[in-house]
Amino acid sequence: MIVVLRSDVTEEQIQHIIEKAEGLGLKAHISRGVERSIIGFIGPEDVLRVTPLEIFPGVETVLPVLAPYKLVSREFQKESSEIRIKDGITIGGRKIALIAGPCSIENRASLMKTAKEVKKAGASILRGGAFKPRTSPYDFQGLGEEGLKIMKDVGDETGLATITEVVDTRHVELMDRYVDIYQVGARNMQNFSLLREIGKTKKPVVLKRGMSATIKEWLMCGEYILSEGNPHVIFCERGIRTFETETRNTLDINAVPVVKEKSYLPIIVDPSHASGRWGLVSSISKAAIAAGADGLMIEVHHNPEEAKSDGAQSLLPEKFEQLVKELKLVAQAVGRKVA
Ligand code: PEP
Ligand code: MN
């Protein structure tokens, strides 16, 4: 339920309302807006039949949230949020965030080479997996902690922010030290213990859509993270399973405006996993920006033929550079900005 506070509410009144509600077993999440502040309360709402929150000074109205997801809902926060990654780098807001890099971290020299090239082209965030969730246990599984060290090193040297996938609750703390953004992969979207563990941190998290997940299920997974106290969630549409076999997955372009309508949190698109083919990445990236996506996560490799994973969907750096130039025009047409 959402408690809308009066514009003249005092800090003491806010604290009093929170204390009362917490005493009833509800958890408070406050959102301070320019004109109005609101408090979202999560928990057993039936206790409010005995002590209705309307009676407290400073409360204007109490509204039920009808959607099953509460804290990620646009009913909870009207203004779209802009998530700060590090100095000068954000996701959400007018500027389109460009995340690029190889599927996996392979070695320092290779990551550095690709990182410098994507930065030159306009990317601000470097991607690369250290723990790879592969469909086959015999495929390359990633460099593990060694990969995280390489990622940190390359991020520090180039000034790029970094993102890597976390696949295990036991790695959450370890990764906190090495990277700027956690990535939860499609295969782990509903790994609730992982979501809760990430929710206990303050680090931004890109939450990919599960390959057979509905938008509602995906938003509920965001709710798991926010309900633990971490509000820095970015949704990522990466294609879903359909009957179509021509492409690796089917990009659900509808997901972009739907998530924008239902939530105030940013949504980005991963055209690489959505298509599985580098030749399609440019077209669907433009479609994503035109549809309102807040950013793109694109696999780029300086030598895709030799890539240890996902070479077939990786762009060469020069193709990425060309794409960024073309994206500028699309972004401008929809009132956004690239790089
Ligand atoms: C990846 O980003 O390399 C990846 C494994 O993505 P997904 O979880 O979307 O399959
Ligand atoms: Mn990949």
Side-chain angles (χ1 to χ4, degrees):
M1 155 239 340
I2 288 172
V3 171
V4 182
L5 300 168
R6 289 170 52 102
S7 53
D8 59 356
V9 67
T10 66
E11 198 51 42
E12 274 161 17
Q13 288 171 335
I14 294 178
Q15 287 317 318
H16 183 64
I17 298 162
I18 292 176
E19 267 166 37
K20 275 285 169 194
E22 287 186 342
L24 295 168
L26 298 169
K27 212 165 159 186
H29 296 263
I30 184 150
S31 162
R32 294 178 196 270
V34 189
E35 285 168 29
R36 284 292 153 111
S37 290
I38 60 175
I39 312 175
F41 285 109
I42 302 296
E45 295 188 9
D46 46 349
V47 295
L48 297 172
R49 263 186 248 119
V50 186
T51 316
L53 290 174
E54 282 94 342
I55 59 176
F56 289 92
V59 171
E60 184 160 297
T61 40
V62 178
L63 305 165
V65 180
L66 300 175
Y69 37 85
K70 318 273 180 202
L71 300 173
V72 305
S73 164
R74 240 197 225 280
E75 293 177 63
F76 178 60
Q77 184 176 311
K78 277 206 187 59
E79 313 94 55
S80 295
S81 62
E82 189 169 342
I83 296 177
R84 182 186 172 276
I85 309 299
K86 60 184 223 182
D87 288 345
I89 303 175
T90 55
I91 303 181
R94 189 164 168 262
K95 198 165 162 195
I96 304 291
L98 293 179
I99 305 173
C103 179
S104 318
I105 301 163
E106 298 169 357
N107 58 64
R108 191 180 186 281
S110 173
L111 188 66
M112 187 66 87
K113 191 170 162 61
T114 301
K116 286 186 172 158
E117 297 193 269
V118 297
K119 180 168 184 182
K120 187 164 69 85
S124 58
I125 304 169
L126 177 66
R127 62 148 288 144
F131 295 90
K132 294 303 301 176
R134 305 305 300 279
T135 301
S136 165
Y138 310 118
D139 288 341
F140 178 60
Q141 303 287 309
L143 297 182
E145 189 170 359
E146 186 51 35
L148 298 177
K149 288 185 181 156
I150 293 173
M151 188 63 138
K152 169 130 185 50
D153 229 32
V154 174
D156 287 347
E157 194 168 323
T158 56
L160 289 163
T162 55
I163 175 168
T164 200
E165 180 166 352
V166 53
V167 296
D168 194 310
T169 48
R170 291 168 297 182
H171 298 159
V172 172
E173 205 188 320
L174 173 79
M175 289 195 174
D176 203 359
R177 284 182 258 141
Y178 291 109
V179 292
D180 299 305
I181 311 171
Y182 292 120
Q183 175 177 323
V184 174
R187 292 158 192 79
N188 269 312
M189 183 198 83
Q190 284 183 314
N191 182 338
F192 300 118
S193 40
L194 182 63
L195 301 178
R196 282 199 191 279
E197 210 54 35
I198 291 170
K200 290 180 188 135
T201 74
K202 289 278 167 273
K203 201 178 275 292
V205 44
V206 165
L207 177 60
K208 286 193 154 195
R209 180 176 182 182
M211 43 193 103
S212 303
T214 64
I215 294 176
K216 193 182 279 176
E217 287 163 342
W218 184 25
L219 291 169
M220 289 306 288
C221 291
E223 189 78 13
Y224 264 88
I225 299 172
L226 269 84
S227 69
E228 291 295 329
N230 184 353
H232 311 301
V233 173
I234 299 127
F235 292 103
C236 178
E237 161 63 39
R238 47 77 74 202
I240 51 171
R241 282 260 162 94
T242 66
F243 52 80
E244 184 55 70
T245 54
E246 206 49 52
T247 49
R248 184 175 177 180
N249 290 294
T250 298
L251 174 67
D252 180 12
I253 198 81
N254 290 333
V256 175
V258 171
V259 169
K260 286 253 160 249
E261 176 187 284
K262 309 269 180 215
S263 179
Y264 58 93
L265 293 165
I267 174 166
I268 64 170
V269 166
D270 170 347
S272 310
H273 293 86
S275 65
R277 287 162 50 180
W278 70 265
L280 301 179
V281 166
S282 174
S283 311
I284 63 174
S285 295
K286 289 178 225 168
I289 299 307
D294 296 298
L296 294 165
M297 175 149 74
I298 301 179
E299 285 185 339
V300 178
H301 197 289
H302 61 87
N303 187 1
E305 279 178 29
E306 297 291 320
K308 286 199 160 47
S309 56
D310 288 349
Q313 64 192 35
S314 299
L315 288 185
L316 280 162
E318 54 266 34
K319 294 263 189 263
F320 176 68
E321 195 175 351
Q322 176 60 31
L323 169 59
V324 176
K325 284 190 188 133
E326 293 169 21
L327 285 174
K328 284 184 182 164
L329 298 171
V330 182
Q332 203 179 13
V334 292
R336 308 291 289 268
K337 204 169 149 252
V338 168

